[in-house]
Amino acid sequence: MSYTLEQLAADIRETLKVDPGPEGKKEVCKFVSRALNDDEFLAKNITERGPDDDPREVLFEDPDLGFCICAHVYNDNAHGKPHDHGDSWAIYGQASGRTEMTDWRIVQQGSGDKPHIVEPIETYILERGDAHFYDVGVVHSPKRDEPTTLLRIEGANLDHVERSNIKARDAA
């Protein structure tokens, strides 16, 4: 029997109620990975998008805990700049294609209009079934050179979260 969106949401909710900290979110990665390896789940929940459509679709938003389950569909390459998720966390789950992800460290604190300056510390590949947790304040950047689909869990709906002003050292 296929894993459902409703089951995924319930598993995330119950896990975060027991442990809302980093270890609980790492446990959530296991449920995300389960969904990513379920062909029926992916076919039902991560649907094609047109070239003018937003690649992100909120599939579920928890009314009590505030987390969101989002599908992302990138039809072409997509190279993201270093960013965090403000005061939220996120889990990136690779459904298809590959994402080269880079983690960054802040080497110069910004303030006001002055950005944080970051430099890369690690680059790795996310492939189908991989789920990776990014805690509050963790700076990362995705690079996708082919059509790619993702399942992303957001600690809060990122439509309503202010992100930090961040620049790579060489782009500063």
Side-chain angles (χ1 to χ4, degrees):
M1 187 167 155
S2 180
Y3 199 38
T4 67
L5 181 62
E6 294 77 14
Q7 288 171 313
L8 175 60
D11 288 340
I12 294 170
R13 184 181 311 106
E14 292 310 310
T15 301
L16 294 178
K17 282 182 178 179
V18 171
D19 184 354
E23 291 307 311
K25 292 165 187 128
K26 289 176 186 174
E27 191 67 26
V28 168
C29 287
K30 295 175 185 176
F31 299 115
V32 173
S33 186
R34 177 180 174 191
L36 296 168
N37 286 299
D38 185 320
D39 291 333
E40 288 182 48
F41 179 95
L42 296 178
K44 184 173 182 180
N45 295 291
I46 301 181
T47 57
E48 291 186 32
R49 307 270 200 293
D52 296 328
D53 293 336
D54 187 340
R56 176 179 170 268
E57 177 185 4
V58 177
L59 302 174
F60 174 85
E61 187 167 356
D62 189 86
D64 298 319
L65 300 181
F67 70 86
C68 292
I69 301 172
C70 302
H72 288 250
V73 177
Y74 297 95
N75 295 317
D76 295 312
N77 66 20
H79 296 182
K81 295 182 179 183
H83 67 277
D84 65 11
H85 296 115
D87 60 4
S88 183
W89 53 269
I91 294 170
Y92 283 66
Q94 194 75 27
S96 70
R98 292 169 40 110
T99 298
E100 177 184 289
M101 192 67 78
T102 300
D103 292 344
W104 301 75
R105 78 169 151 247
I106 296 173
V107 294
Q108 184 178 343
Q109 291 289 331
S111 63
D113 290 340
K114 186 177 177 185
H116 297 300
I117 305 301
V118 296
E119 65 183 19
I121 54 174
E122 180 183 14
T123 298
Y124 47 93
I125 302 295
L126 298 178
E127 296 181 301
R128 183 175 177 186
D130 292 339
H132 194 91
F133 165 57
Y134 298 91
D135 207 348
V136 174
V138 172
V139 179
H140 54 284
S141 63
K143 179 181 176 188
R144 302 174 188 96
D145 287 327
E146 60 188 54
T148 304
T149 59
L150 308 169
L151 192 62
R152 187 170 77 183
I153 314 304
E154 302 170 353
N157 187 327
L158 294 181
D159 287 340
H160 312 294
V161 173
E162 185 175 332
R163 298 182 189 212
S164 301
N165 183 4
I166 298 172
K167 298 282 185 211
R169 182 186 290 263
D170 61 333

